[in-house]
Amino acid sequence: MRLIIAEKPSLARAIAEALPGRPAREDGALVVGDTTVTWCLGHLLEQAPPDAYDPALKQWRLDHLPILPAEWKLMPRPRARGQLAVIRRLLKSAREVVHAGDPDREGQLLVQEVIEHLGWRGEVSRLLVSDLNRPAVQRALSRLEDNARYQPLYRAAESRARADWLYGINLTRAWTLTGRQAGHDGVLSVGRVQTPVLGLVVRRDAEIRDFAPRPFFVLWVDLEVEGGQLRAWWQPGETHPLDDQGRLLVREPAADLAERLPGAGGRLVRLESRDKRQAPPLPYSLSALQVDAARRFGLSAKAVLDICQRLYERHKLITYPRSDCRYLPEEHFASARATLEGACRQDDTLRDWLAGADFSRRSRAWNDKQVGAHHALAPTGKPADTSRLEKAEADVFRLIARNVLAQFYPPLATREVKAEFAVAGEAFRARGQEILAPGWKPLFTTREEAPPLPPLTEGEPCRVREAGVEDRETRPPEPFTDASLIKAMMNIGRHVEDPAVRRTLREHDGLGTEATRAGIIETLVERGYLVRRAKALRATRLGSALIASLPDAVGRPERTALWEQRLAAIAEAGDDPAPFLASLVEDLRGLLTSADAGGLRQALATARGEEPAAAGRAPARRRGNASRRRRGSGASRSGRSRSSS
């Protein structure tokens, strides 16, 4: 018997339906000829709790820390024992095993840890499915690989799970116990991803709260030129009081000049014109889709992830959604027309976009060198009857289809014009943009660009019709939203102060993963560290106090981003995981010495922030059940996704 172990039931059904023959249902499996397809239910196994290593560790005590397992143990998740028993039974009759986890680091871990835990010693093949439609699954079945090729990916995922356990268990226990000494009776959860994300929000809120607006002043003139009229802006010189962005800090020079300008003549002294061609936006990764869907439809990152899972698993309308890639395999180009014609057939909006596509065009999106374990999100070709989808599902599907359709549209061609005028001995500048060819732009709702300028000739005269001064003031940064926080997590190097570290992070830029970012935000809300105020995400007093009490490095992104760099080296270059974990343990020992009841007491007393929503969940209270205490220890995977803490 050939045994295929899928990550979840929906994938198992798609595999069974792609095999020759009619699937027969058995307990926990589907049988098609000589092949049996079974499944996991997300993670069937989890890291064992501390008391599995030593019963004394069930009690939380500072003198037990750090807890460092000498030999790592896994244990069945409570609701997974039945399916684990099914797989154990089937393995006993198998002559060949096929690993059919999702094509990512976590998918590799999820199935392989079950195979190893149950003691299988034979060969294992790897089946990579990113599209649940039958033809795609059949192609994948014809291209089985040796699972040994993916051993580095498994070791990286295993190292990540162990590192999260070490970091979360030890720091959560240390700060929770110190918090009790400081008078706080709740669990203070610390994680290597969730805490830096919380730190981003806490610091942004502090910038907003402490922001002191400063007035500045701008002078405009409406100029009459031969070809029409335009508005230009005064460029004050260095003799005037300016801030570091060249903004005028006192009103008088602008007001005095404005009084003298009406009727004054001048000349166009410099004219720059540049034609630009802009390629269409690439197809979506999950995070890029979450950012756009949040901005356009107000959907939370978690809502977008859930919608994508339904479009992938239930409706089979899109390819594997938990992708960090924005490129498509070159082999997909040949079938793109048929795929998109099928996907767009039953929706008026999509049919209109399809009508403008030129399938002889080949954009930069088709690039095998940029495609890793998975490719960008794309329609599968199954006709999408958007009238039978929920509105949010239809909205998100159209975005995904639109960005692939845009690859068959011409570039956006524009002409940017910059003009500088000399009037009354002062410089005034204007800029405009003219759309020469709209290309892909009509498919997108984009911000308005500068309107075009009238025809201009360098050296031509101008005359001031009117002038005015606008009183403005500097504005604080915007609070984080789901969209901007996801974007910050994607581009975390921009939030790193050390230039050397920022350079290091350019190739490994990201906090969390495509699959975990939405869950991290929701976890912080559930634990009472963040609240939503309309679209804004704000830190609570408890969240602010936790960040204030921790060593600065724990609440900043440098450490976890560098972790991802080390994990990438394990996954991609086959580095030994042992030095990574050894350096983590050394780091932990230093961090644990920073737990201080006095500092935490002061942080809890002086923290500023929002109060949790009345309907939200309060932070976890002290629990006697050790398994529930583990919520503070790190990542958890509920059914489908593992949310790094």
Side-chain angles (χ1 to χ4, degrees), residues 542-580:
L542 179 61
S544 298
L546 177 59
I547 293 298
S549 71
L550 288 162
D552 189 59
V554 176
R556 291 191 176 273
E558 286 86 340
R559 173 185 278 104
T560 191
L562 290 171
W563 270 31
E564 287 299 330
Q565 185 181 27
R566 299 285 296 275
L567 291 170
I570 296 169
E572 297 165 14
D575 284 12
D576 182 2
F580 164 65

Side-chain angles (χ1 to χ4, degrees), residues 30-296:
L30 295 164
V31 179
V32 188
D34 190 39
T35 299
T36 299
V37 187
T38 187
W39 53 82
C40 300
L41 304 166
H43 274 281
L44 298 183
L45 301 168
E46 62 185 358
Q47 293 291 331
D51 54 280
Y53 298 97
D54 183 347
L57 296 177
K58 189 168 186 177
Q59 183 180 11
W60 291 28
R61 293 171 51 125
L62 285 171
D63 59 2
H64 288 161
L65 306 181
I67 300 170
L68 306 172
E71 187 173 325
W72 289 89
K73 298 179 181 180
L74 295 172
M75 60 183 293
R77 293 174 67 89
R79 297 182 180 179
R81 295 182 185 277
Q83 190 61 21
L84 199 62
V86 168
I87 299 174
R88 187 193 307 273
R89 172 177 55 79
L90 292 171
L91 281 172
K92 292 177 181 178
S93 305
R95 57 172 170 77
E96 178 187 353
V97 170
V98 179
H99 178 317
D102 279 351
D104 59 10
R105 193 170 71 189
E106 204 64 27
Q108 187 66 32
L109 174 69
L110 190 150
V111 175
Q112 188 164 339
E113 68 183 2
V114 170
I115 293 171
E116 295 195 359
H117 181 75
L118 295 179
W120 173 259
R121 296 291 180 261
E123 296 295 318
V124 179
S125 300
R126 186 65 164 98
L127 173 63
L128 296 167
V129 177
S130 59
D131 180 342
L132 295 186
N133 273 357
R134 181 170 181 167
V137 179
Q138 287 174 329
R139 286 194 299 271
L141 283 163
S142 70
R143 301 172 181 172
L144 294 181
E145 301 181 56
D146 185 348
N147 189 59
R149 178 182 174 187
Y150 296 91
Q151 191 69 5
L153 194 66
Y154 171 63
R155 293 300 172 206
E158 182 182 61
S159 299
R160 194 275 314 150
R162 292 174 177 179
D164 276 347
W165 190 97
L166 289 168
Y167 197 81
I169 286 283
N170 284 291
L171 293 185
T172 294
R173 287 195 175 198
W175 257 259
T176 298
L177 293 168
T178 304
R180 290 176 190 165
Q181 296 173 0
H184 178 75
D185 192 31
V187 171
L188 291 176
S189 175
V190 181
R192 62 101 181 180
V193 177
Q194 71 165 41
T195 306
V197 173
L198 175 60
L200 287 175
V201 181
V202 168
R203 288 188 293 276
R204 173 66 59 85
D205 284 357
E207 290 175 21
I208 295 169
R209 187 169 53 245
D210 299 338
F211 182 81
R214 291 182 302 166
F216 67 97
F217 308 91
V218 296
L219 166 62
W220 54 266
V221 291
D222 285 341
L223 297 176
E224 191 175 82
V225 294
E226 185 175 345
Q229 185 172 310
L230 58 88
R231 176 161 290 190
W233 305 87
W234 180 42
Q235 307 299 305
E238 294 181 357
T239 57
H240 299 293
L242 307 176
D243 67 9
D244 57 1
Q245 296 185 39
R247 295 177 295 205
L248 183 67
L249 298 178
V250 294
R251 197 177 196 279
E252 288 74 14
D256 292 344
L257 181 58
E259 289 184 4
R260 296 187 282 113
L261 284 172
R267 302 190 74 78
L268 173 55
V269 296
R270 188 166 72 234
L271 181 65
E272 296 180 12
S273 178
R274 185 174 64 159
D275 289 355
K276 295 176 61 177
R277 289 168 62 85
Q278 185 178 346
L282 289 166
Y284 283 116
S285 65
L286 174 60
S287 288
L289 176 63
Q290 287 169 320
V291 169
D292 276 7
R295 288 174 175 167
R296 183 158 184 171

Side-chain angles (χ1 to χ4, degrees), residues 418-532:
K418 296 180 181 179
E420 183 172 323
F421 298 85
V423 182
E426 299 289 340
F428 295 83
R429 291 178 184 165
R431 63 179 296 270
Q433 184 184 82
E434 177 184 358
I435 294 180
L436 304 177
W440 51 266
K441 190 178 176 71
L443 276 65
F444 291 74
T445 301
T446 57
R447 68 180 186 277
E448 291 298 319
E449 305 292 347
L453 298 178
L456 296 169
T457 304
E458 191 166 311
E460 71 172 282
C462 65
R463 184 166 300 278
V464 178
R465 292 177 57 89
E466 192 176 353
V469 179
E470 293 183 5
D471 296 1
R472 300 182 182 179
E473 65 177 22
T474 55
R475 298 174 62 183
E478 295 290 330
F480 276 116
T481 62
D482 277 72
S484 60
L485 189 54
I486 287 282
K487 194 166 186 177
M489 295 164 75
M490 291 167 63
N491 303 291
I492 198 62
R494 299 175 188 176
H495 299 266
V496 171
E497 296 177 359
D498 187 324
V501 175
R502 192 184 304 121
R503 285 193 298 271
T504 302
L505 292 177
R506 283 176 186 162
E507 293 183 4
H508 301 279
D509 204 15
L511 194 59
T513 67
E514 303 293 320
T516 63
R517 288 175 184 141
I520 289 162
I521 295 173
E522 296 307 316
T523 293
L524 290 169
V525 172
E526 290 169 2
R527 289 176 176 167
Y529 299 148
L530 295 182
V531 292
R532 284 191 171 88

